[in-house]
Amino acid sequence: MDQSRTPYFDVLLDYVDSGVIPFHTPGHMQGKGMDRSLRDFLGDNVLAIDLTQIRGLDDLLQPTEAIAEAQALAADAYGADHSFFLINGSTSGNQIMMMAALNPGEKMALPRNSHKSAMGGLIMSGVQPVWMQPEVDDALHMDHTVTPDTVRQTLGAQPDIKAVYIVTPTYYGVAADIEAIADVVHERGLPLLVDEAWGPHFRFHPALPIDAIGAGADLVVNSTHKMLGSMSQTAMLHVKGKRVKLDRLKGVVKLFLSTSPNLVLIASLDVARKQMALEGPALLSRTIELAQSTRRQLNAIPGVYCFGEELKGQPGVFDLDPTKITITVKNLGYTGYEAEEILRRRYNVQCELADLFNSLALFTIGTTPEAAERLVHGVSQLAREDRPIDVFSPSGVLERRLKSGTYALPKIPPIRMLPRDAFLAKTESVRFKSSAGRICAEVITPYPPGIPVVSPGEEITREIVDYLDLELRAGVRMQGPYDAQLRTIRVVSK
Ligand SMILES: Cc1ncc(COP(=O)(O)O)c(C=O)c1O
């Protein structure tokens, strides 16, 4: 196909050029009705193409014209049979995959370090989770991916599993042995669903891990906005093969879309695909080189460690995305949160995320050498300073654990109810610290990186209470709880 085309962006431009007089949504009428403060800042162009799905501009829910063509070009670029444009991120993509591939009550194997949107998928679909333990890296306090062996064992232990869902790469850019996993899953005739939110660029450079569609996955979601040039919220869902029914998938996609999608976002997907198809290898070569040289410079700073190739081959680390730089600061005596905050406050550098031990810097085709220098400068200054503040827990428990490197993640708790049933059940609020033994009715996710520690239908164990207590005292933000301070927690009524 002619990848230099941008059919959807073109029809929006044609609409503007033709000078149509609008009597349609959005109400700002191509900017004229918008308050000047925002309008002046945004500029007229973006508002001129913020249109609605009128004649000639196709319908994202039932595309037959320019959107259909733009999606076909995306499928061609990604090696998929069909691609769907999503405007609610991989969040909706994860939920769509589960609702399309499984029926309520059916079992799906998935890793415990799935993004919280996977829990949303379980709640909406009524699917029963069979959790797989990803490999845990105690030194980095990080979950990696699940191995083919773990998938094989899980399927062997529970032969009534109907689909396997995996996350690769992780937030930190660690990729699974997805080809081997696809073989294991397909041997049993099951579909493999892949959350490849962080890998929309993989397809376009040989130095990056193999992309999930190329590796044989059946359904794959990419957050185009995360690593490529499209706007926030944009994502793509790719399908290959016939293990998941296309009609069902199309029906579910529709459920997740607004009837008034933002056409600017759709155009940005169209253009980002063209950019990758035509210039991806060259742009990504530059990004990879910049990230690699920055990683080397950071690793030369005493006390700083940014993992790289040496990690490959460790359990759960089949391959790595070099464009992610995880800056491990624990040997400087900082938590990742502190480092992130100091980098922002003093050096005006903002990382993508921080966790207890690490701050993560994202390198994309938009990262400049000047920006990379600022990062290296900030980290080298940080490494020179005496640790100024002690934000560790007053009891010193966290600090002791950090230093001894034995900060253990809590075990996956026993599942007592389906996530959907617990989420929708009659519930009550109880004191968090005395909630051990109760069935949780909400998701508690320390964020980032957004991995649930306990979720609806699971028993709240003593270990979980202690772990979350520690994280709270270290200043970790919690997503999900009704009570943001987690003084209380919602549990299923007895
Ligand atoms: C692994 C993973 N999957 C899915 C998502 C959700 O993606 P989006 O923000 O595009 O909805 C995220 C977001 O950080 C993620 O890390």
Side-chain angles (χ1 to χ4, degrees), residues 88-91 94 115 117 167 171 195 197-198 223 225-226 447:
N88 198 19
S90 288
T91 296
N94 279 331
H115 184 257
S117 55
V167 182
Y171 214 141
D195 175 349
W198 285 105
S223 282
H225 73 95
K226 287 191 193 297
Y447 201 93

Side-chain angles (χ1 to χ4, degrees), residues 118-127 419-420 423-424 443 456:
M119 179 49 63
L122 293 174
I123 289 169
M124 289 182 202
S125 63
V127 162
R420 178 185 176 81
F423 186 81
L424 300 176
V443 192

Side-chain angles (χ1 to χ4, degrees), residues 56-70:
L57 301 188
D58 211 354
D59 178 356
L60 186 60
L61 279 74
Q62 197 101 31
T64 54
E65 303 170 292
I67 294 181
E69 198 184 338

